[in-house]
């Protein structure tokens, strides 16, 4: 009897072990499938987020490029305006310099004329002095120059 009850117990234990192993294997397979499903869902979700981030980054890049281009264009226009103003100012300065040169030329011409007139007057005074000296000798008049 003991052998028979041990045998029955062993058979029952084996049946229970097999059933338990089958249940564990089933649960394990279910969990494995569930984990694979969650993994697939996460991969898909990550891929979706990644795609969204790429699109967002591309959008930000595009916005930045447009903003940079707009700022560059604005800066270029400002530089062109400043350049035009500088050209005009430089042109005015050149005109003023030309005016100054004209005035200097006029003054130089006047100084040259004045110098020539002084030389001519000096020469004339020298000639007059010479005539007076000759005339004073002939007239027996004493003439002294105070130089």
């Amino acid at each position: 009897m003991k052998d028979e009850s041990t045998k029955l117990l062993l058979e029952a234990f084996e049946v229970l072990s097999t059933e338990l192993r089958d249940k564990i294997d089933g649960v394990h397979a279910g969990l494995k499938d569930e984990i694979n499903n969650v993994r697939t869902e996460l991969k898909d979700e990550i891929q979706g987020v990644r795609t969204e981030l790429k699109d967002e980054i591309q959008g930000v890049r595009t916005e930045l490029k447009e903003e940079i281009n707009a700022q560059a264009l604005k800066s270029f226009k400002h530089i062109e305006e400043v350049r035009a103003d500088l050209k005009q100012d430089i042109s005015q300065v050149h005109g003023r310099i030309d005016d100054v040169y004209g005035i200097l030329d006029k003054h130089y011409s006047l100084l040259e004329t004045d110098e020539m007139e002084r030389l001519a007057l000096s020469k004339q005074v020298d000639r007059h002095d010479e005539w007076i000296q000759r005339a004073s000798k002939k007239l027996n008049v004493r003439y002294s120059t105070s130089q």
Side-chain angles (χ1 to χ4, degrees), residues 51-147:
T51 303
E52 286 176 19
L53 283 174
K54 276 184 177 180
D55 292 344
E56 186 67 28
I57 289 170
Q58 188 61 36
V60 169
R61 278 185 181 162
T62 303
E63 287 175 17
L64 284 174
K65 282 181 183 177
E66 290 172 358
E67 183 65 28
I68 289 170
N69 288 339
Q71 289 298 325
L73 184 61
K74 195 185 276 185
S75 294
F76 182 74
K77 285 180 181 178
H78 182 68
I79 289 170
E80 286 300 314
E81 289 172 3
V82 169
R83 187 175 182 201
D85 289 346
L86 285 174
K87 271 186 168 180
Q88 185 178 4
D89 290 348
I90 289 171
S91 177
Q92 289 174 351
V93 168
H94 282 294
R96 288 178 182 165
I97 289 173
D98 288 344
D99 292 346
V100 168
Y101 275 127
I103 292 169
L104 288 173
D105 285 344
K106 211 180 266 184
H107 281 275
Y108 181 76
S109 174
L110 290 173
L111 286 174
E112 243 182 5
T113 303
D114 186 53
E115 184 65 24
M116 281 198 257
E117 286 177 356
R118 282 180 204 218
L119 287 173
L121 284 174
S122 175
K123 191 69 171 168
Q124 189 177 19
V125 166
D126 287 346
R127 271 196 320 258
H128 287 169
D129 188 49
E130 200 177 299
W131 292 344
I132 292 171
Q133 282 178 7
R134 273 194 241 148
S136 67
K137 281 182 186 175
K138 286 184 182 178
L139 296 173
N140 285 329
V141 176
R142 192 168 175 242
Y143 174 72
S144 71
T145 59
S146 57
Q147 290 181 354

Side-chain angles (χ1 to χ4, degrees), residues 20-35:
L20 187 58
R21 197 174 310 130
D22 289 344
K23 280 187 179 185
I24 289 172
D25 286 344
V27 168
H28 184 265
L31 286 173
K32 200 173 183 182
D33 288 343
E34 188 64 32
I35 288 171

Side-chain angles (χ1 to χ4, degrees), residues 1-15:
M1 191 107 149
K2 233 181 184 188
D3 280 333
E4 212 172 290
S5 44
T6 306
K7 198 177 181 185
L8 279 174
L9 276 171
L10 282 173
E11 284 177 17
F13 180 72
E14 215 173 288
V15 170

